[in-house]
Amino acid sequence: MCNKIYTQQDLTDAFRAAIEDRARWFYLLLKYAKEENADVDKIAEKAIKEFGNMKGIAIGEAKTALDFANAILSGHPREAFAMEPVKLDKNESVIKFRYCALVEAWKKLGCGPDEVAKLCELASFGDYGMIECFPHLGLEFKQLLSKGDDCCEMVITKK
């Protein structure tokens, strides 16, 4: 058993590294699916949305935008994505993500701006899959790091 004490930065770095690994295999999977003439967008949308559904189910109950925001803000992802709660309200909550290891990994792979934006669009099906579990809630991204904005701005609304 290891008795090492890890700092928050150690945990954040490890979490970001794991996310970057996920971004690399996602990129490679899509690259080779495309070479095989698969409908990459359709496959990615279905698979990633289902993954998001699993994560939404794991959230449990979220009756309000605040409930969903609090669930998103819990745990290591908060630090890994440098999440900043801007507005936390039961009818509308806004969270800014100041860092994205997925975007950074795709840039390191040499993806250009358009490709990074497309990969992000596909990856965001996970977020939309999560919100699908809560039909009384809506989700929108007003800004995206993948499109050159200074953050990803997630807006959660109660319908």
Side-chain angles (χ1 to χ4, degrees), residues 95-112:
I95 303 170
K96 289 188 176 186
F97 296 62
R98 299 285 182 187
Y99 182 87
C100 181
L102 297 162
V103 168
E104 294 306 313
W106 296 325
K107 288 178 181 177
K108 288 176 188 173
L109 286 169
C111 298

mmCIF file of all heavy atoms in Angstrom, residues 95-112:
data_model
loop_
_atom_site.group_PDB
_atom_site.id
_atom_site.type_symbol
_atom_site.label_atom_id
_atom_site.label_comp_id
_atom_site.label_asym_id
_atom_site.label_seq_id
_atom_site.Cartn_x
_atom_site.Cartn_y
_atom_site.Cartn_z
ATOM 1 N N ILE A 95 -21.655 27.688 -16.107
ATOM 2 C CA ILE A 95 -20.325 27.249 -15.681
ATOM 3 C C ILE A 95 -19.361 27.529 -16.828
ATOM 4 O O ILE A 95 -19.640 27.180 -17.979
ATOM 5 C CB ILE A 95 -20.312 25.742 -15.352
ATOM 6 C CG1 ILE A 95 -21.340 25.404 -14.276
ATOM 7 C CG2 ILE A 95 -18.904 25.309 -14.928
ATOM 8 C CD1 ILE A 95 -21.562 23.916 -14.075
ATOM 9 N N LYS A 96 -18.234 28.144 -16.498
ATOM 10 C CA LYS A 96 -17.184 28.360 -17.495
ATOM 11 C C LYS A 96 -16.088 27.328 -17.260
ATOM 12 O O LYS A 96 -15.646 27.123 -16.129
ATOM 13 C CB LYS A 96 -16.621 29.776 -17.408
ATOM 14 C CG LYS A 96 -17.618 30.810 -17.893
ATOM 15 C CD LYS A 96 -17.009 32.186 -17.991
ATOM 16 C CE LYS A 96 -18.050 33.158 -18.571
ATOM 17 N NZ LYS A 96 -17.479 34.468 -18.813
ATOM 18 N N PHE A 97 -15.676 26.691 -18.344
ATOM 19 C CA PHE A 97 -14.588 25.733 -18.332
ATOM 20 C C PHE A 97 -13.380 26.462 -18.927
ATOM 21 O O PHE A 97 -13.396 26.822 -20.097
ATOM 22 C CB PHE A 97 -14.919 24.508 -19.193
ATOM 23 C CG PHE A 97 -16.087 23.703 -18.706
ATOM 24 C CD1 PHE A 97 -17.367 24.236 -18.630
ATOM 25 C CD2 PHE A 97 -15.909 22.378 -18.351
ATOM 26 C CE1 PHE A 97 -18.443 23.485 -18.206
ATOM 27 C CE2 PHE A 97 -16.983 21.603 -17.920
ATOM 28 C CZ PHE A 97 -18.255 22.163 -17.842
ATOM 29 N N ARG A 98 -12.343 26.671 -18.130
ATOM 30 C CA ARG A 98 -11.192 27.466 -18.568
ATOM 31 C C ARG A 98 -10.083 26.623 -19.207
ATOM 32 O O ARG A 98 -9.139 27.166 -19.763
ATOM 33 C CB ARG A 98 -10.620 28.246 -17.390
ATOM 34 C CG ARG A 98 -11.590 29.231 -16.768
ATOM 35 C CD ARG A 98 -11.745 30.426 -17.637
ATOM 36 N NE ARG A 98 -12.642 31.413 -17.014
ATOM 37 C CZ ARG A 98 -13.033 32.480 -17.642
ATOM 38 N NH1 ARG A 98 -12.648 32.720 -18.878
ATOM 39 N NH2 ARG A 98 -13.841 33.329 -17.051
ATOM 40 N N TYR A 99 -10.196 25.304 -19.130
ATOM 41 C CA TYR A 99 -9.173 24.421 -19.685
ATOM 42 C C TYR A 99 -9.848 23.160 -20.203
ATOM 43 O O TYR A 99 -10.800 22.672 -19.585
ATOM 44 C CB TYR A 99 -8.146 24.041 -18.601
ATOM 45 C CG TYR A 99 -7.035 23.155 -19.116
ATOM 46 C CD1 TYR A 99 -5.894 23.714 -19.684
ATOM 47 C CD2 TYR A 99 -7.135 21.773 -19.067
ATOM 48 C CE1 TYR A 99 -4.873 22.910 -20.175
ATOM 49 C CE2 TYR A 99 -6.131 20.963 -19.560
ATOM 50 C CZ TYR A 99 -5.004 21.531 -20.114
ATOM 51 O OH TYR A 99 -4.002 20.741 -20.611
ATOM 52 N N CYS A 100 -9.353 22.629 -21.321
ATOM 53 C CA CYS A 100 -9.882 21.367 -21.840
ATOM 54 C C CYS A 100 -8.728 20.499 -22.324
ATOM 55 O O CYS A 100 -8.066 20.814 -23.318
ATOM 56 C CB CYS A 100 -10.876 21.598 -22.975
ATOM 57 S SG CYS A 100 -11.568 20.046 -23.601
ATOM 58 N N ALA A 101 -8.493 19.403 -21.623
ATOM 59 C CA ALA A 101 -7.422 18.475 -21.987
ATOM 60 C C ALA A 101 -7.697 17.812 -23.334
ATOM 61 O O ALA A 101 -6.760 17.447 -24.043
ATOM 62 C CB ALA A 101 -7.246 17.424 -20.893
ATOM 63 N N LEU A 102 -8.967 17.664 -23.696
ATOM 64 C CA LEU A 102 -9.297 17.103 -25.012
ATOM 65 C C LEU A 102 -8.778 18.022 -26.113
ATOM 66 O O LEU A 102 -8.061 17.583 -27.022
ATOM 67 C CB LEU A 102 -10.819 16.930 -25.153
ATOM 68 C CG LEU A 102 -11.497 15.964 -24.194
ATOM 69 C CD1 LEU A 102 -12.996 16.222 -24.158
ATOM 70 C CD2 LEU A 102 -11.207 14.531 -24.562
ATOM 71 N N VAL A 103 -9.128 19.285 -26.025
ATOM 72 C CA VAL A 103 -8.683 20.268 -27.020
ATOM 73 C C VAL A 103 -7.167 20.325 -27.070
ATOM 74 O O VAL A 103 -6.557 20.337 -28.151
ATOM 75 C CB VAL A 103 -9.300 21.661 -26.727
ATOM 76 C CG1 VAL A 103 -8.633 22.747 -27.553
ATOM 77 C CG2 VAL A 103 -10.808 21.642 -26.980
ATOM 78 N N GLU A 104 -6.527 20.342 -25.907
ATOM 79 C CA GLU A 104 -5.064 20.413 -25.864
ATOM 80 C C GLU A 104 -4.433 19.179 -26.503
ATOM 81 O O GLU A 104 -3.437 19.291 -27.223
ATOM 82 C CB GLU A 104 -4.575 20.606 -24.430
ATOM 83 C CG GLU A 104 -4.984 21.941 -23.823
ATOM 84 C CD GLU A 104 -4.580 23.144 -24.667
ATOM 85 O OE1 GLU A 104 -3.406 23.190 -25.110
ATOM 86 O OE2 GLU A 104 -5.427 24.025 -24.896
ATOM 87 N N ALA A 105 -4.997 18.012 -26.260
ATOM 88 C CA ALA A 105 -4.459 16.778 -26.862
ATOM 89 C C ALA A 105 -4.594 16.809 -28.379
ATOM 90 O O ALA A 105 -3.663 16.427 -29.099
ATOM 91 C CB ALA A 105 -5.179 15.555 -26.290
ATOM 92 N N TRP A 106 -5.743 17.271 -28.877
ATOM 93 C CA TRP A 106 -5.941 17.311 -30.326
ATOM 94 C C TRP A 106 -4.977 18.299 -30.980
ATOM 95 O O TRP A 106 -4.449 18.045 -32.054
ATOM 96 C CB TRP A 106 -7.388 17.640 -30.660
ATOM 97 C CG TRP A 106 -8.347 16.587 -30.195
ATOM 98 C CD1 TRP A 106 -8.130 15.240 -30.151
ATOM 99 C CD2 TRP A 106 -9.655 16.783 -29.677
ATOM 100 N NE1 TRP A 106 -9.221 14.586 -29.636
ATOM 101 C CE2 TRP A 106 -10.178 15.511 -29.342
ATOM 102 C CE3 TRP A 106 -10.448 17.905 -29.454
ATOM 103 C CZ2 TRP A 106 -11.459 15.334 -28.817
ATOM 104 C CZ3 TRP A 106 -11.720 17.736 -28.930
ATOM 105 C CH2 TRP A 106 -12.216 16.462 -28.612
ATOM 106 N N LYS A 107 -4.714 19.399 -30.312
ATOM 107 C CA LYS A 107 -3.725 20.360 -30.826
ATOM 108 C C LYS A 107 -2.333 19.723 -30.865
ATOM 109 O O LYS A 107 -1.596 19.894 -31.832
ATOM 110 C CB LYS A 107 -3.705 21.632 -29.973
ATOM 111 C CG LYS A 107 -4.924 22.514 -30.158
ATOM 112 C CD LYS A 107 -4.833 23.716 -29.230
ATOM 113 C CE LYS A 107 -6.022 24.632 -29.352
ATOM 114 N NZ LYS A 107 -5.946 25.765 -28.390
ATOM 115 N N LYS A 108 -1.977 18.990 -29.806
ATOM 116 C CA LYS A 108 -0.672 18.323 -29.751
ATOM 117 C C LYS A 108 -0.536 17.278 -30.856
ATOM 118 O O LYS A 108 0.573 16.992 -31.302
ATOM 119 C CB LYS A 108 -0.461 17.668 -28.384
ATOM 120 C CG LYS A 108 -0.216 18.642 -27.264
ATOM 121 C CD LYS A 108 -0.123 17.914 -25.928
ATOM 122 C CE LYS A 108 -0.073 18.883 -24.762
ATOM 123 N NZ LYS A 108 -0.146 18.179 -23.464
ATOM 124 N N LEU A 109 -1.647 16.690 -31.279
ATOM 125 C CA LEU A 109 -1.628 15.715 -32.373
ATOM 126 C C LEU A 109 -1.475 16.388 -33.730
ATOM 127 O O LEU A 109 -1.331 15.715 -34.746
ATOM 128 C CB LEU A 109 -2.912 14.876 -32.364
ATOM 129 C CG LEU A 109 -3.017 13.822 -31.267
ATOM 130 C CD1 LEU A 109 -4.438 13.257 -31.206
ATOM 131 C CD2 LEU A 109 -2.011 12.701 -31.512
ATOM 132 N N GLY A 110 -1.525 17.721 -33.743
ATOM 133 C CA GLY A 110 -1.369 18.457 -34.994
ATOM 134 C C GLY A 110 -2.675 18.792 -35.691
ATOM 135 O O GLY A 110 -2.671 19.229 -36.849
ATOM 136 N N CYS A 111 -3.790 18.607 -35.017
ATOM 137 C CA CYS A 111 -5.089 18.945 -35.604
ATOM 138 C C CYS A 111 -5.197 20.461 -35.768
ATOM 139 O O CYS A 111 -4.826 21.211 -34.870
ATOM 140 C CB CYS A 111 -6.232 18.453 -34.715
ATOM 141 S SG CYS A 111 -6.280 16.659 -34.509
ATOM 142 N N GLY A 112 -5.723 20.878 -36.904
ATOM 143 C CA GLY A 112 -5.949 22.284 -37.154
ATOM 144 C C GLY A 112 -7.219 22.758 -36.470
ATOM 145 O O GLY A 112 -7.982 21.960 -35.914
#
